[in-house]
Amino acid sequence: MPHFSPVDTPSRKCHNTPMSALPKEKQEPYYTYADYKEWELDEGERFEIIDGEAYAMSAPSTQHQAILGELYTQFHVYLQGKPCKTFPAPLDVRLFYAKDESDDTVVQPDIVIICDKAKIGPEGCRGAPDLVVEILSPSNTAIEMDQKLKLYREAGVREYWVIDGENNSLNVYLFKKDIIVKTYKETDTVAVSILPGLNISLEQVFKEASA
């Protein structure tokens, strides 16, 4: 996951939501999806909004993209002809989707798997994906990752993967009644909990990143 940092205002913010109309308990600036979709960004600029706050995302490294590409390929090949669909970043995920576009959290995980066709909209994912993958960057902090963990669990994500490309390892979080955490090393094969029959070769994933 490219590092993100809070910003006061994204460049050339659309002012279609008057600040005076915002709920008093919200801190300004406060953004919703209605604001977010109107931002005119420079090429390569990416933002997430979490609880109404905007975060700028840095560009991913080549290692990051190699890991993403190989893992996405393994997911995509397996899911051909099956109900679930996988999408790589950038894809807007509106975790707490609201039809009136008042939802205030839009994230861009590295990879998502969505098994409910009703959640796939023209603009991205409407609601929680079934599986989310984030690939760490050196600048990511423990606070950021803890925030994302809580956010995905609250939204209803079923399975959450955090890949550490520096240490060639993977943590898998299964959100059941309690959080089940499984740790894998680079030579392991990982059975995908939400997709029985799919086994991911981490050796191949990390091999592509080091080639």
Side-chain angles (χ1 to χ4, degrees):
M1 177 183 70
H3 173 70
F4 61 90
S5 55
V7 294
D8 291 332
T9 53
S11 57
R12 298 190 296 279
K13 187 185 78 68
C14 174
H15 296 281
N16 66 325
T17 303
M19 288 300 170
S20 59
L22 296 175
K24 291 182 179 180
E25 66 271 24
K26 303 297 185 182
Q27 294 184 355
E28 297 181 8
Y30 172 83
Y31 304 110
T32 66
Y33 178 72
D35 298 305
Y36 173 89
K37 73 174 188 175
E38 298 298 334
W39 293 343
E40 298 176 12
L41 304 177
D42 293 331
E43 184 176 356
E45 276 191 303
R46 290 170 58 195
F47 286 86
E48 294 183 327
I49 55 173
I50 298 176
D51 295 329
E53 185 171 4
Y55 294 84
M57 302 177 69
S58 61
S61 67
T62 53
Q63 180 200 47
H64 178 285
Q65 294 301 85
I67 291 172
L68 186 157
E70 175 57 30
L71 182 56
Y72 170 75
T73 297
Q74 291 191 43
F75 283 151
H76 181 71
V77 169
Y78 177 81
L79 290 173
Q80 289 293 301
K82 296 181 174 64
C84 299
K85 303 298 179 185
T86 185
F87 299 91
L91 179 80
D92 287 338
V93 175
R94 301 169 62 186
L95 285 174
F96 306 99
Y97 172 74
K99 190 174 182 180
D100 65 359
E101 300 183 342
S102 63
D103 43 311
D104 63 2
T105 297
V106 184
V107 294
Q108 292 191 0
D110 290 305
I111 302 173
V112 298
I113 293 177
I114 306 168
C115 297
D116 183 352
K117 289 179 63 175
K119 290 184 177 181
I120 302 175
E123 80 284 9
C125 181
R126 298 175 173 180
D130 293 88
L131 186 147
V132 168
V133 177
E134 298 275 17
I135 303 167
L136 295 178
S137 296
S139 56
N140 289 134
T141 67
I143 293 175
E144 289 174 14
M145 300 317 298
D146 184 62
Q147 181 184 27
K148 283 291 183 74
L149 179 72
K150 293 175 180 177
L151 192 67
Y152 290 138
R153 186 185 190 192
E154 179 186 355
V157 171
R158 296 162 58 196
E159 187 166 351
Y160 176 38
W161 289 28
V162 179
I163 297 177
D164 184 347
E166 293 297 313
N167 297 302
N168 288 0
S169 65
L170 163 69
N171 282 345
V172 174
Y173 300 86
L174 302 177
F175 297 133
K176 299 180 183 293
K177 183 176 181 181
D178 297 312
I179 299 178
I180 299 172
V181 185
K182 299 181 180 181
T183 300
Y184 300 90
K185 56 184 183 297
E186 61 183 306
T187 56
D188 289 336
T189 297
V190 183
V192 182
S193 177
I194 69 162
L195 299 172
L198 174 57
N199 297 292
I200 297 296
S201 168
L202 290 184
E203 184 173 13
Q204 185 62 32
V205 169
F206 292 123
K207 178 182 176 181
E208 288 299 316
S210 61

